[in-house]
């Protein structure tokens, strides 16, 4: 029994011993764990989120995963973040209060958040006081930056980075107007200055800004959307948070604004959060055809692995619509990367300053109290800030690197919502390529689907579907061919017609959409006269009394400051019209008009010169030019020369050189006489309208009165540019008044000139073309056009239609003949009168005179050389005491004849006598004695001539010389 008890005691003792050993082992393990935990320094980080919102719930889960996964990979770190999460409840005051609590009570070293820009704007000021980093991954307003506080860091992209992507869409589809719809918060207002400036650079106008409060009721949203429906613009840019943006699209769908013809663009904040698989079907179904921009998320192995882990993770606190999704969110990835960056920075600070011993000590003993805010100041904050700014790694959202306290720029992608799904269709604006503004199409990507399930891009502007009728003002003018307001039908509505009106009606036929309109004359209801000038009429558009002005309105620079003009449908310019002088045909000296005075003198000299040349060449060998006294020879020479003018010369020429000279000279005379005849015929048969006033300077110098078209801009042109005194200007309203004023002239109470636009003066001259003429230059203007409000998209459509009309020559010719049938009967008034002399001048015939002069001189020189060559021996030995020039002159002119001529003449005379004698001797009545007597007399006469010649040779050898066939002797 004793042994048995002893055995039980031994077993009990062994059990107790084993328990003690077990307990001791467990205590050693627990002590080890406690020692390991105690070796890591816990660093408190504050987090301020809107935990009631989807993004807040999602961000909290992403941060939780980031903490666990970061320290699982970095178990050797000596520091560890511990998050203290506060709920801001979407309230600015609650966010500020949470920040103060985290700074003072929990002594955090950094704060992540707040979630939106409104809250962050206040909290970053508190961070500056406490000198701790305020890190936001979701406050994207560009108005928040390090210029406000150096402790503010944005680990997401600010909204200004998406401006290029948005403008690229607008530019790609050629939209000229975009309506902005944004929320009235710091987030909504921050982007507007950037986007409007960017639109101005691509010539896109923002006609209206629709600002909505985040607390807007469904009625208020629908009311604002109805207002937008009444506008012409159909392109809307929505910049809102997810909560308000979702309601706007639902109500836009109900209002019929998600139909064909509309274009909707959402900014990154809305495009990133409104994922079709996250939001309710009602929201996504209302966004069919919407385009959105959002930062491009590069794919990586780490990201794909994270997607799998995110899919397996249960998220009961995010919300029913998010539990089943496997998709990730960019804001969540930014929150994830923020935790990693902060953990790396905290570890870096701990390594630099021995965080566990030095930083905590300084934090405990060196915090001072700010008397005004009760905020404690951290000495670790500035070091942590610098470490965070230097942190760089490859995160899930891309490369994490801060530039000036902001995440580095990224490329953007363009998404299209189709059948509740998103399709990425374009890329835009990659980083480091500032000049890249165009969209890059993704391979195999189709064109976007627009609202109304159409692939045709909206034009961006239409006439409102509410049935708005354009109120079109028309001028009242006396030039009824352009605009005619006719009240003769005795009705309350006038009949409006005219060239300008018909052009406008033809333009409307070519518009791509129907335009409702009504013409409203700009006139006094009582007098039926114009209510003001054309400038006054156009200004009614700016005053919104008219939606457009159609008529003979001139496009000039100062009017473009308050209206936009279409392309001109008619050319124009300001002309000066004056009275013509009396007809030239009443001048008794008109026969002298065809040739100028210098041509008359030159022609006379040419006749005399040619006559002298002919005499030089002929007088020694031709008795018709050499016989008689010197006066007789001169008269014969001049007669011969001037008779060639009418080809009446009867003298024969002997020398071949003379014939050569006359051939050229007669050709010159022929051209000269024909030109004179044509010019004189023109003067006598064609009206030559000479202006009474030649230019503007003459009007100013004489102080003449001038007229202009009443109510037009011409008055300002005359005063400001042409420097006329206002007291010298008189207004007139109709062509008849123009005629009366010009007929009277200034001295009788009229005017000496009328200034007006060319279309009006063409109409005026069509009726009075023989009495008035256009002089001076044309003062250029752009012509007639139609006017619309500044920035109206109708201008582009109307201008294109105007080109189609004005280039259709059949239509324009028909209108021209209908309204201006008499313009073609006058000479073209657009060619101002030439002020130069119409007479023919020497320059016109200079070539001919040069040719005949050269030929004549050349012929004379050849003749003189030949003369000297043949007669030089005789001339040199005859009268040696006389000079050579006097000897040549004495033997060449007047009193010396060529011996060959004398011999020919004497031979002709002898032959003539012999012929006559022989003939007489053969007569029937003549006796044989008489015939023999005459024959012997003729023989003795011939012998006498021979004897005389022989005698001369014997008596005076100096007076004879052999000249070939004939004997030359001085008479």
């Amino acid at each position: 029994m004793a042994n048995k008890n002893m055995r039980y005691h031994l077993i009990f003792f062994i059990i107790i011993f084993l328990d003690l050993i077990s307990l001791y082992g467990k205590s050693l393990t627990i002590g080890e764990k406690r020692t390991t935990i105690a070796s890591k320094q816990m660093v408190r980080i504050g987090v301020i989120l809107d935990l009631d919102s989807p993004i807040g719930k999602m961000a909290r889960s992403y941060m939780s995963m980031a903490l666990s996964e970061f320290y699982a990979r970095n178990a050797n770190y000596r520091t560890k973040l511990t998050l203290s999460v506060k709920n801001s409840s979407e309230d600015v005051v609650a966010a500020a209060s949470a920040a103060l609590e985290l700074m003072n009570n929990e002594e955090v070293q950094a704060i992540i958040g707040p979630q939106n820009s409104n809250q962050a704007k206040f909290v970053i000021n508190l961070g500056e006081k406490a000198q701790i980093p305020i890190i936001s991954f979701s406050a994207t307003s560009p108005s928040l930056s390090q210029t406000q506080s150096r402790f503010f860091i944005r680990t997401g992209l600010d909204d200004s980075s998406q401006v290029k992507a948005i403008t690229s869409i607008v530019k790609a589809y050629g939209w000229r107007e975009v309506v902005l719809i944004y929320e009235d918060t710091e987030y909504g207002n921050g982007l507007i200055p950037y986007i409007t400036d960017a639109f101005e650079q691509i010539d896109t106008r923002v006609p209206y800004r629709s600002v909505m409060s985040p607390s807007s009721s469904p009625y208020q949203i629908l009311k604002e959307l109805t207002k937008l429906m009444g506008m012409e613009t159909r392109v809307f840019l929505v910049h809102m948070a997810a909560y308000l943006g979702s309601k706007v699209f639902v109500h836009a769908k109900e209002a019929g604004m998600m139909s064909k013809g509309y274009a909707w663009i959402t900014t990154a904040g809305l495009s990133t959060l409104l994922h079709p698989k996250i939001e309710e079907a009602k929201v996504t179904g209302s966004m069919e055809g919407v385009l959105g921009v959002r930062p491009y998320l590069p794919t990586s192995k780490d990201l794909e692995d994270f997607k799998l882990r995110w899919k397996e993770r249960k998220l009961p606190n995010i919300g029913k619509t998010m539990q089943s999704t496997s998709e990730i969110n960019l804001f969540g990835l930014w929150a994830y990367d923020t935790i990693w960056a902060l953990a790396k920075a905290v570890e870096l600070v701990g390594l630099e300053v021995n965080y566990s011993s030095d930083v905590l000590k300084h934090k405990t003993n060196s915090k001072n109290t700010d008397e005004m805010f009760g905020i404690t100041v951290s000495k670790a904050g500035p070091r942590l800030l610098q470490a965070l700014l230097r942190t760089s790694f490859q995160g899930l959202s891309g490369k994490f690197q801060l530039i000036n306290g902001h995440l580095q720029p990224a490329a953007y992608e363009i998404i299209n919502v189709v059948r509740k799904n998103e399709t990425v269709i374009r890329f835009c604006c990659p980083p480091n390529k500032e000049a890249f503004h165009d969209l890059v199409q993704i391979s195999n990507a189709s064109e976007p689907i627009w609202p109304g399930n159409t692939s045709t891009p909206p034009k961006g502007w239409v006439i409102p579907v509410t049935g708005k009728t354009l109120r079109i003002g028309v001028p009242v003018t006396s030039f009824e061919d352009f605009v005619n307001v006719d009240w003769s039908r005795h009705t309350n509505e006038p009949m409006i017609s005219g060239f300008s009106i018909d052009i406008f009606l033809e333009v409307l036929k070519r518009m791509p959409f129907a335009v409702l309109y009504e013409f409203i004359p700009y006139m006094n209801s009582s007098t039926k006269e114009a209510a003001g000038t054309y400038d006054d009429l156009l200004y009614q558009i700016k005053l919104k009394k008219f939606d457009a002005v159609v008529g003979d309105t001139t496009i000039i620079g100062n009017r473009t400051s308050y209206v936009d003009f279409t392309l001109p449908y008619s050319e124009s310019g300001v002309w000066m019209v004056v009275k013509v002088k009396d007809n030239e045909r009443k001048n008794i000296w008109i026969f002298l008009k065809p040739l100028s005075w210098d041509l008359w003198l030159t022609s006379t000299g040419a006749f005399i010169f040619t006559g002298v040349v002919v005499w030089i060449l002929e007088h020694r060998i031709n008795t018709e030019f050499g016989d008689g006294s010197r006066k007789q020879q001169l008269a014969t020479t001049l007669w011969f020369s001037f008779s060639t003018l009418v080809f009446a010369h009867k003298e024969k020429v002997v020398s071949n050189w003379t014939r050569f000279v006359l051939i050229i000279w007669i050709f010159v005379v022929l051209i000269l006489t024909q030109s004179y005849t044509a010019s004189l015929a023109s003067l006598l048969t064609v009206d030559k309208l000479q202006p009474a006033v030649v230019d503007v300077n003459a009007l100013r110098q004489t102080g003449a009165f001038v007229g202009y078209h009443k109510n037009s801009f011409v008055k300002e042109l005359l005063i400001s540019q042409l420097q006329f005194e206002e007291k010298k200007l008189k207004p007139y309203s109709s062509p008849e008044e123009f005629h009366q004023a010009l007929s009277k002239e200034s001295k009788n109470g009229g005017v000496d000139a009328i200034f007006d636009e060319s279309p009006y003066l063409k109409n005026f001259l069509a009726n009075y073309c023989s009495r008035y003429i256009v002089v001076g230059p044309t003062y250029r203007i752009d012509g007639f056009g139609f006017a619309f409000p500044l920035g109206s998209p109708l201008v582009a459509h109307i201008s294109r239609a105007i080109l189609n009309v004005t280039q259709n020559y059949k239509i324009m010719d028909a209108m021209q003949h209908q309204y201006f049938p008499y313009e073609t009967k006058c000479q073209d008034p657009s060619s101002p009168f030439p002020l130069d002399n119409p007479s023919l001048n020497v320059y016109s015939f200079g070539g001919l005179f040069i040719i005949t002069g050269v030929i004549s001189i050349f012929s004379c020189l050849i003749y003189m050389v030949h003369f000297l060559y043949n007669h030089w021996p005789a001339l040199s030995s005859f009268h040696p005491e006389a000079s050579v020039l006097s000897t040549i002159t004495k033997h060449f002119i007047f009193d010396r004849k060529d011996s060959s001529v004398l011999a020919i003449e004497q031979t002709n005379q002898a032959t003539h006598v012999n012929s006559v004698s022989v003939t007489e001797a053969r007569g029937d009545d003549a006796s044989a004695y008489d015939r023999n007597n005459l024959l012997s007399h003729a023989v003795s006469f011939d012998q006498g001539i021979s004897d005389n010649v022989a005698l001369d040779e014997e008596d005076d050898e100096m007076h004879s010389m052999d000249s070939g066939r004939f004997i030359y002797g001085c008479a």
Side-chain angles (χ1 to χ4, degrees):
M1 186 72 182
N3 291 333
K4 187 177 180 180
N5 290 333
M6 205 173 192
R7 196 180 333 168
Y8 283 126
H9 285 95
L10 181 60
I11 294 172
F12 178 74
F13 177 77
I14 293 173
I15 291 173
I16 292 175
F17 179 76
L18 292 174
D19 289 338
L20 289 174
I21 293 175
S22 177
L23 289 172
Y24 179 74
K26 288 183 179 179
S27 65
L28 289 176
T29 303
I30 293 172
E32 263 181 29
K33 289 184 178 180
R34 286 180 179 175
T35 303
T36 304
I37 294 173
S39 64
K40 287 184 179 292
Q41 176 60 53
M42 308 303 293
V43 181
R44 287 184 176 275
I45 302 297
V47 179
I48 303 176
L49 297 173
D50 296 330
L51 297 179
D52 298 329
S53 66
I55 187 71
K57 296 175 183 179
M58 181 190 302
R60 185 173 185 178
S61 298
Y62 273 80
M63 290 181 185
S64 176
M65 288 185 65
L67 276 176
S68 61
E69 293 180 357
F70 179 81
Y71 289 109
R73 293 189 184 183
N74 300 280
N76 60 334
Y77 271 33
R78 294 187 298 122
T79 58
K80 185 175 182 180
L81 303 182
T82 176
L83 303 182
S84 181
V85 182
K86 300 293 182 182
N87 186 4
S88 63
S89 301
E90 300 184 358
D91 184 73
V92 174
V93 176
S97 177
L100 287 173
E101 183 179 353
L102 291 170
M103 294 174 186
N104 294 332
N105 298 337
E106 302 191 22
E107 298 179 343
V108 296
Q109 299 302 313
I111 293 179
I112 300 176
Q115 184 174 313
N116 61 56
S117 300
N118 282 356
Q119 300 167 5
K121 184 176 181 180
F122 289 91
V123 173
I124 61 176
N125 293 326
L126 299 178
E128 181 74 21
K129 295 292 183 180
Q131 295 196 8
I132 62 174
I134 305 298
I135 310 166
S136 179
F137 61 88
S138 57
T140 58
S141 175
S143 62
L144 305 177
S145 65
Q146 280 198 319
T147 58
Q148 293 179 321
S149 172
R150 64 189 181 96
F151 285 91
F152 174 68
I153 293 177
R154 193 192 333 256
T155 55
L157 295 177
D158 72 90
D159 290 331
S160 63
S161 63
Q162 63 186 314
V163 168
K164 288 183 181 179
I166 296 172
T167 55
S168 295
I169 297 174
V170 175
K171 181 180 178 181
Y173 293 104
W175 295 323
R176 312 307 301 172
E177 288 191 355
V178 178
V179 171
L180 303 182
I181 305 176
Y182 58 98
E183 63 179 56
D184 191 12
T185 61
E186 185 70 26
Y187 164 74
N189 296 319
L191 178 66
I192 302 308
Y194 295 88
I195 197 67
T196 52
D197 290 345
F199 281 160
E200 286 182 2
Q201 294 178 5
I202 61 172
D203 296 328
T204 297
R205 179 172 166 264
V206 179
Y208 182 72
R209 300 180 184 181
S210 178
V211 186
M212 297 185 185
S213 171
S215 59
S216 297
S217 64
Y219 172 77
Q220 292 173 327
I221 295 175
L222 192 58
K223 181 180 179 181
E224 183 66 18
L225 292 176
T226 304
K227 183 178 181 180
L228 297 178
M229 288 180 63
M231 298 181 178
E232 295 87 353
T233 308
R234 287 293 182 266
V235 182
F236 304 103
L237 175 62
V238 182
H239 179 57
M240 292 178 170
Y243 175 73
L244 182 58
S246 301
K247 294 192 294 183
V248 168
F249 278 105
V250 170
H251 291 299
K253 176 76 171 180
E254 296 174 354
M257 298 179 68
M258 301 304 297
S259 57
K260 184 178 180 180
Y262 287 86
W264 293 83
I265 306 172
T266 59
T267 58
L270 198 55
S271 302
T272 304
L273 294 179
L274 278 181
H275 196 285
K277 293 185 178 180
I278 296 178
E279 296 299 325
E280 297 179 357
K282 183 178 182 181
V283 176
T284 56
S286 65
M287 296 183 65
E288 182 83 12
V290 173
L291 293 184
V293 298
R294 68 185 180 194
Y296 169 65
L297 186 61
T299 58
S300 64
K301 185 178 184 304
D302 291 340
L303 181 60
E304 295 300 324
D305 293 341
F306 178 80
K307 289 181 180 180
L308 296 176
R309 297 194 302 271
W310 177 258
K311 182 178 180 180
E312 295 172 356
R313 184 179 177 87
K314 293 184 177 180
L315 305 172
N317 60 332
I318 293 180
K320 185 175 68 173
T321 59
M322 291 186 178
Q323 289 182 3
S324 61
T325 182
S326 61
E327 296 294 334
I328 59 175
N329 183 270
L330 184 60
F331 283 104
L333 295 179
W334 284 341
Y336 184 97
D337 290 343
T338 300
I339 294 296
W340 277 57
L342 191 55
K344 288 176 177 290
V346 166
E347 179 69 15
L348 181 60
V349 171
L351 293 175
E352 290 178 352
V353 299
N354 193 8
Y355 197 91
S356 60
S357 60
D358 188 46
V359 174
L360 290 179
K361 180 179 178 182
H362 281 82
K363 183 173 75 71
T364 303
N365 299 331
S366 302
K367 281 199 172 182
N368 302 319
T369 302
D370 188 291
E371 295 180 357
M372 182 176 180
F373 296 97
I375 300 174
T376 54
V377 181
S378 171
K379 287 189 175 181
R383 291 180 178 272
L384 182 58
L385 174 66
Q386 295 303 320
L388 191 58
L389 293 176
R390 294 194 302 267
T391 301
S392 177
F393 63 96
Q394 191 66 32
L396 296 183
S397 62
K399 185 175 182 179
F400 184 94
Q401 183 178 3
L402 299 176
I403 301 176
N404 296 326
H406 300 271
L407 191 65
Q408 70 170 0
Y412 274 79
E413 60 186 14
I414 314 300
I415 63 170
N416 183 212
V417 180
V418 181
R419 298 183 182 89
K420 301 182 182 181
N421 292 310
E422 293 178 355
T423 302
V424 179
I425 57 173
R426 301 285 190 275
F427 284 119
C428 177
C429 316
N432 303 323
K433 291 186 179 180
E434 295 297 330
F436 191 90
H437 289 275
D438 297 327
L439 301 179
V440 178
Q441 187 170 0
I442 303 173
S443 300
N444 302 323
S446 60
E447 290 298 320
I449 299 300
W450 302 95
N453 195 26
T454 176
S455 60
T456 303
K459 294 182 178 180
W461 189 93
V462 294
I463 294 296
V465 296
T466 55
K468 178 181 178 181
T469 300
L470 294 180
R471 293 170 52 86
I472 298 178
V474 295
V476 177
T477 175
S478 298
F479 288 86
E480 297 178 351
D481 289 333
F482 294 95
V483 179
N484 181 22
V485 181
D486 185 9
W487 293 88
S488 61
R489 297 188 304 170
H490 303 290
T491 61
N492 294 330
E493 296 295 330
M495 180 179 180
I496 298 177
S497 60
F499 176 74
S500 300
I501 303 300
D502 284 0
I503 289 287
F504 181 71
L505 296 179
E506 287 292 334
V507 165
L508 293 186
K509 295 178 182 178
R510 288 159 177 79
M511 293 289 285
F513 45 81
V515 179
L516 301 178
Y517 66 91
E518 61 173 332
F519 290 128
I520 303 175
Y522 184 59
M523 62 191 303
N524 292 322
S525 57
S526 58
T527 61
K528 306 298 184 184
E529 295 181 352
T533 65
Y534 278 76
D535 288 335
D536 297 334
L537 170 59
L538 293 172
Y539 202 76
Q540 303 304 307
I541 296 178
K542 183 176 178 62
L543 299 178
K544 299 187 181 302
K545 294 184 178 179
F546 291 140
D547 298 315
V549 168
V550 170
D552 51 345
T553 51
T554 306
I555 304 172
I556 55 177
N558 61 346
R559 292 174 176 175
T560 58
S561 61
Y562 49 88
V563 294
D564 273 351
F565 285 99
T566 63
L567 289 176
Y569 63 86
S570 174
E571 294 183 358
S572 186
V574 176
W575 288 351
M576 170 183 167
V577 170
V578 299
K579 193 176 181 181
V580 300
K581 289 182 180 180
D582 292 337
N583 199 308
E584 283 284 352
R585 283 178 288 185
K586 299 179 181 179
N587 186 359
I588 63 174
W589 301 104
I590 192 174
F591 68 91
L592 296 176
K593 192 71 175 177
L595 305 183
S596 61
W597 65 269
D598 56 346
L599 183 56
W600 280 115
L601 294 178
T602 304
S603 300
T604 302
F607 276 103
I608 296 174
F609 175 76
T610 302
V612 171
V613 170
V614 171
W615 178 82
I616 291 174
L617 298 176
E618 292 289 329
H619 80 284
R620 291 184 55 80
I621 59 176
N622 191 341
T623 56
E624 294 189 12
F625 291 93
D627 286 349
S629 64
R630 296 183 180 182
K631 292 182 178 180
Q632 290 176 339
Q633 293 182 32
L634 178 62
T636 301
T637 300
L638 293 179
W639 159 255
F640 176 82
S641 177
F642 282 97
S643 63
T644 59
L645 183 64
V646 292
F647 308 102
H649 51 285
K650 296 183 293 183
E651 292 78 7
K652 297 181 180 180
V653 294
V654 176
S655 173
N656 289 332
W657 288 110
T658 306
R659 295 188 181 101
F660 182 52
V661 170
L662 287 179
I663 288 174
I664 304 301
W665 172 245
I666 291 174
F667 177 71
V668 173
V669 171
L670 176 65
I671 294 178
L672 190 64
T673 54
Q674 293 297 322
S675 300
Y676 174 86
T677 303
S679 180
L680 181 61
S682 175
L683 289 173
L684 294 175
T685 58
V686 179
D687 287 336
K688 293 294 182 179
L689 304 180
Q690 301 290 336
V693 181
V694 294
D695 57 18
V696 173
N697 293 328
L699 292 172
R700 287 198 297 259
Q701 291 172 1
T702 59
F705 287 92
V706 297
Y708 64 93
H709 189 180
K710 185 178 180 181
N711 295 330
S712 74
F713 72 96
V714 178
K715 179 179 179 181
E716 285 73 19
L717 183 144
L718 294 174
I719 296 174
S720 61
Q721 298 189 30
L722 301 184
Q723 307 299 319
F724 281 101
E725 298 180 9
E726 187 172 358
K727 63 181 180 180
K728 295 294 184 180
L729 306 180
K730 294 184 177 181
Y732 298 101
S733 301
S734 64
E736 292 74 17
E737 292 182 5
F738 286 175
H739 170 59
Q740 294 174 3
L742 287 172
S743 300
K744 293 179 180 178
E745 301 181 348
S746 295
K747 58 186 178 182
N748 297 320
V751 295
D752 286 343
I754 290 288
F755 288 84
D756 203 355
E757 297 173 71
S758 57
Y760 302 128
L761 292 181
K762 283 182 180 179
N763 181 270
F764 168 68
L765 293 174
N767 297 317
Y768 305 100
C769 58
S770 62
R771 302 184 185 183
Y772 308 106
I773 192 171
V774 176
V775 297
T778 297
Y779 303 96
R780 303 302 305 173
I781 53 178
D782 286 338
F784 292 159
F786 306 134
F788 290 86
L790 285 173
S792 173
L794 266 179
V795 173
H797 293 288
I798 294 290
S799 296
R800 282 191 288 269
I802 285 175
L803 290 177
N804 293 330
V805 172
T806 54
Q807 292 177 4
N808 189 321
Y809 300 109
K810 292 184 178 179
I811 294 177
M812 296 305 295
D813 287 345
M815 291 186 183
Q816 189 76 17
H817 286 89
Q818 178 181 357
Y819 292 104
F820 313 110
Y822 303 109
E823 284 190 1
T824 56
K825 74 177 183 180
C826 300
Q827 62 181 357
D828 184 10
S830 62
S831 301
F833 178 78
L835 299 180
D836 55 340
N837 193 344
S839 301
L840 300 174
N841 53 33
V842 173
Y843 187 80
S844 303
F845 301 92
L848 293 174
F849 286 129
I850 291 174
I851 293 174
T852 187
V854 170
I855 295 299
S856 299
I857 294 173
F858 177 76
S859 300
C860 287
L861 290 176
I862 295 297
Y863 176 77
M864 292 300 298
V865 170
H866 186 267
F867 171 78
L868 293 175
Y869 176 79
N870 291 330
H871 300 85
W872 182 252
L875 293 175
S876 60
S877 59
F878 184 71
H879 298 299
E881 69 280 1
S883 63
V884 175
L885 180 62
S886 61
T887 302
I888 294 175
T889 303
K890 182 177 180 182
H891 286 76
F892 185 75
I893 62 175
F894 296 117
D895 55 348
R896 297 300 179 196
K897 297 290 186 295
D898 194 321
S899 61
S900 61
V901 177
L902 296 176
I904 293 173
E905 290 178 354
Q906 292 174 358
T907 303
N908 290 339
Q909 293 177 2
T911 303
H912 177 69
V913 171
N914 293 335
S915 298
V916 171
S917 302
V918 172
T919 302
E920 292 178 352
R922 289 177 180 177
D924 295 337
D925 298 334
S927 63
Y929 173 81
D930 294 332
R931 289 195 296 271
N932 293 330
N933 188 23
L934 287 174
L935 182 60
S936 62
H937 177 73
V939 170
S940 63
F941 181 80
D942 290 339
Q943 185 177 359
I945 294 176
S946 300
D947 293 340
N948 288 335
V949 172
L951 183 60
D952 289 339
E953 291 177 353
E954 293 176 358
D955 293 342
D956 193 356
E957 294 179 358
M958 293 297 296
H959 293 176
S960 66
M961 59 184 299
D962 188 2
S963 57
R965 182 177 178 182
F966 298 103
I967 302 298
Y968 172 80
C970 295

